[in-house]
Amino acid sequence: MRTGNEPVTARSALRLRFWLSLWGLIWSGAGAAAFSLAARPGWAAACAAIAVLAAVDLTVVIRRIHQGPHYQPGRDIPPYEPPGH
């Protein structure tokens, strides 16, 4: 059922975002280290920038997971606000 306010009440799969952010952080950090050892400063900087973005996303996801079911729907929490009529 669509209520018309999905962008306001949209929720994401936080556990999936957590694991994808962690995966991206590990690989981009490894890429930055490998490219810096290979004397490729441009690629190392690009990988380091992606690592920073992944770390910020990981921080946001962990914060929202700790805030509880308002940000992470479970079996008892509907993914939208029920219609008022």
Side-chain angles (χ1 to χ4, degrees):
M1 172 186 302
R2 295 182 61 92
T3 61
N5 63 354
E6 281 79 13
V8 174
T9 60
R11 297 179 184 146
S12 65
L14 292 177
R15 288 184 200 106
L16 178 63
R17 266 181 69 190
F18 171 80
W19 290 111
L20 289 174
S21 295
L22 187 62
W23 182 257
L25 181 63
I26 290 168
W27 277 100
S28 58
F35 281 123
S36 67
L37 290 175
R40 301 279 190 181
W43 285 103
C47 286
I50 292 171
V52 168
L53 289 175
V56 168
D57 186 47
L58 193 61
T59 303
V60 169
V61 168
I62 290 172
R63 181 173 177 261
R64 288 192 177 165
I65 285 174
H66 286 297
Q67 287 178 339
H70 174 71
Y71 288 101
Q72 187 174 14
R75 296 175 197 245
D76 301 333
I77 309 293
Y80 56 85
E81 289 181 10
H85 30 323

